[in-house]
Amino acid sequence: MAKVTEDAGVRIIEGRKDAAAGKVSGEECKLKRGLQQIDRIAEEMRADAQELDEQHGIPVLHVDSLRRIGYPAWNVPEEYGGQGMPLTAWLAAQERLAQGNPSVALGIGWHMGIVHDLAEKRPWPEPIFADISRRIVEEGGLINRAAMEVGGGSPSRGGKPRTTAQPLAQGGYVVNGRKTFTTLAPLLQWFIVTATVEGTNDVVDLIIPREAEGVSIEWTWNMTGMRGTASHDLLLDNVSVPEEARVMLHSLEDVRRPNPYLLHIPACYLGIAVAARDEALSFSTTYTPPSLQHPIAKTAHVERLLGEMEVDLIAARHLLYGVAKEWETKGSEQPPQRLTDLVAVKTFVVQTALTVVDKAMRIVGAHSLSMDHPLQRMYRDVRFGLHNPPMEDIALQQLARRAVHVWEQAKRQSNGE
């Protein structure tokens, strides 16, 4: 199937030119080469996406391919041997990976988003972050948060961890608990575990290596979509960690603080939408029913659906990359509007992706519901966007409150108050 190339993200990345020579800068050449490598890996991922979904497998081969090109270290600071990749460049790569296999894109996106966020905010002791950064560069190590718990509530809504960290007299902690939805769990080298310190109301982040005694993975991930993310349960049974494993004491404000690197989530679902559009184009430009003398792409009904899909994708792409670019250049200022823009992007792009997949399936018809057809997998995968943070109800609440605040402020100013 032919693949339609999208260039909006690339234009953002490659827009700067050398004024004297008219040549693309060395940095931009590096980005272009990186995206070309990502395109090749995305094609490999596309080839066995159906098999990975059916077998409920772990994307070991694809993660290894990403390691070979140094992708897990793209967001590691240059001072520690990484690429220090700009946000927009990374999102473009994530979108392309998702066109091949969104499970792999979403899985690696959690690792890279965490690294990007840590690199910018530096909330941890620097020696610990430096050590993990170097190991990501040298070994391709992966890290992810383990925060969700059965019955514990969503961390973004202030749910307190049931996982406990018992302080030891000699220093350090003994950790016990179970974490759910730990994406790429069997492939991670480190887990960032949120735990409640026994005898206190403190919630801490602990770095726990995969090889620590008492750490195990229970294979519980059995969902209708995103089946290749291997988001199994993490079990912590009397796991002893040293004092330095405690990297952060955080508050509800920390949990809810906007994080621009969560834009990897809408980038993933935008990738699904683009892949669905491509499937619709492939079918509609080649299928000619007996009642017509030309492919259905030339019928008014299908033309309208294809046109609507293009409007949807153009709007979603410009919003995603426009907000990301603004955050790159002005993120340190963080006015309220920029913060609400982040939640608006996720909400709008996911809604758009749901709509585009639906329209693609309308074009392809009943064939799209066959378990052998890529669109039924995309339909199942894209639904997961509704359950990734930030949740839609919270996002809409923030947007509504911001609108009311701006309106009331403007009204007071007009009344001379």
Side-chain angles (χ1 to χ4, degrees):
M1 182 190 71
K3 178 177 177 295
V4 178
T5 300
E6 305 290 347
D7 65 354
V10 178
R11 283 201 303 272
I12 292 174
I13 298 164
E14 300 176 356
R16 298 188 306 274
K17 300 290 182 178
D18 186 300
K23 296 181 180 179
V24 179
S25 71
E27 179 186 358
E28 288 156 356
C29 287
K30 178 180 70 174
L31 295 178
K32 188 172 184 178
R33 287 195 299 271
L35 290 175
Q36 289 172 342
Q37 292 176 312
I38 290 297
D39 282 337
R40 288 194 291 270
I41 293 174
E43 285 302 316
E44 296 171 2
M45 288 163 47
R46 190 193 313 272
D48 71 349
Q50 182 74 12
E51 181 181 1
L52 185 67
D53 178 84
E54 291 174 350
Q55 295 182 358
H56 217 189
I58 305 174
V60 177
L61 295 178
H62 301 315
V63 171
D64 284 346
S65 293
L66 292 170
R67 281 176 168 143
R68 280 195 293 274
I69 67 168
Y71 190 63
W74 267 30
N75 295 350
V76 170
E78 291 180 320
E79 65 197 271
Y80 298 128
Q83 300 277 355
M85 196 62 67
L87 177 60
T88 48
W90 172 53
L91 293 178
Q94 286 294 119
E95 181 194 338
R96 294 178 185 207
L97 287 177
Q99 292 175 41
N101 190 322
S103 289
V104 183
L106 189 63
I108 198 70
W110 284 113
H111 156 82
M112 298 182 70
I114 287 169
V115 172
H116 222 322
D117 191 47
L118 293 174
E120 181 176 277
K121 296 177 182 175
R122 304 293 174 104
W124 293 1
E126 194 64 21
I128 295 175
F129 177 64
D131 178 64
I132 287 179
S133 294
R134 293 189 185 101
R135 290 185 60 187
I136 291 172
V137 172
E138 296 169 5
E139 305 167 18
L142 301 179
I143 191 169
N144 199 359
R145 294 190 180 277
M148 294 294 295
E149 299 178 352
V150 174
S154 170
S156 64
R157 298 179 189 270
K160 190 175 181 180
R162 296 185 177 184
T163 298
T164 60
Q166 178 186 359
L168 299 175
Q170 66 272 26
Y173 303 88
V174 174
V175 186
N176 283 281
R178 173 191 287 263
K179 298 292 188 177
T180 61
F181 303 160
T182 310
T183 302
L184 291 187
L187 301 179
L188 300 177
Q189 278 64 56
W190 306 278
F191 303 91
I192 306 174
V193 174
T194 55
T196 301
V197 179
E198 287 190 358
T200 75
N201 289 319
D202 290 347
V203 175
V204 296
D205 280 351
L206 300 167
I207 287 290
I208 299 181
R210 175 67 179 87
E211 65 270 15
E213 186 176 353
V215 172
S216 62
I217 306 298
E218 185 173 326
W219 291 60
T220 54
W221 185 248
N222 188 25
M223 299 293 188
T224 59
M226 291 292 183
R227 291 171 63 82
T229 60
S231 301
H232 301 295
D233 283 11
L234 170 67
L235 274 61
L236 303 160
D237 183 15
N238 290 321
V239 178
S240 296
V241 296
E243 185 67 32
E244 55 266 28
R246 173 174 163 165
V247 291
M248 184 177 172
L249 169 67
H250 59 86
S251 64
L252 183 58
E253 181 182 354
D254 295 320
V255 173
R256 291 180 173 172
R257 185 188 307 168
N259 176 3
Y261 305 104
L262 287 178
L263 290 176
H264 81 87
I265 295 172
C268 176
Y269 293 100
L270 179 59
I272 296 175
V274 171
R277 186 278 311 274
D278 289 353
E279 287 291 338
L281 283 171
S282 176
F283 178 81
S284 64
T285 56
T286 56
Y287 176 61
T288 302
S291 58
L292 296 176
Q293 302 299 314
H294 52 75
I296 64 170
K298 296 183 179 180
T299 64
H301 173 63
V302 173
E303 278 188 334
R304 180 175 180 82
L305 287 173
L306 289 172
E308 289 175 350
M309 292 162 69
E310 290 306 300
V311 171
D312 292 338
L313 290 172
I314 290 170
R317 175 165 287 104
H318 278 278
L319 180 60
L320 171 63
Y321 287 103
V323 169
K325 188 63 178 177
E326 189 172 59
W327 194 275
E328 275 184 352
T329 57
K330 302 177 183 178
S332 59
E333 300 169 16
Q334 297 186 10
Q337 184 59 50
R338 190 164 299 116
L339 303 181
T340 51
D341 283 351
L342 291 175
V343 299
V345 170
K346 190 267 181 175
T347 302
F348 181 78
V349 172
V350 168
Q351 289 175 347
T352 298
L354 290 165
T355 299
V356 169
V357 172
D358 179 72
K359 289 175 180 176
M361 296 181 79
R362 290 173 185 267
I363 291 172
V364 176
H367 298 291
S368 66
L369 295 173
S370 168
M371 291 304 292
D372 296 327
H373 201 284
L375 277 173
Q376 57 79 27
R377 174 168 37 81
M378 295 175 194
Y379 176 82
R380 291 184 284 112
D381 286 344
V382 79
R383 302 295 303 178
F384 270 73
L386 296 171
H387 308 287
N388 291 138
M391 299 301 141
E392 186 172 290
D393 62 323
I394 293 178
L396 293 176
Q397 181 187 70
Q398 290 177 345
L399 291 166
R401 290 180 177 178
R402 171 64 183 165
V404 169
H405 172 75
V406 171
W407 172 265
E408 291 179 341
Q409 187 178 50
K411 190 175 180 180
R412 286 194 298 270
Q413 290 176 348
S414 67
N415 293 334
E417 297 179 17

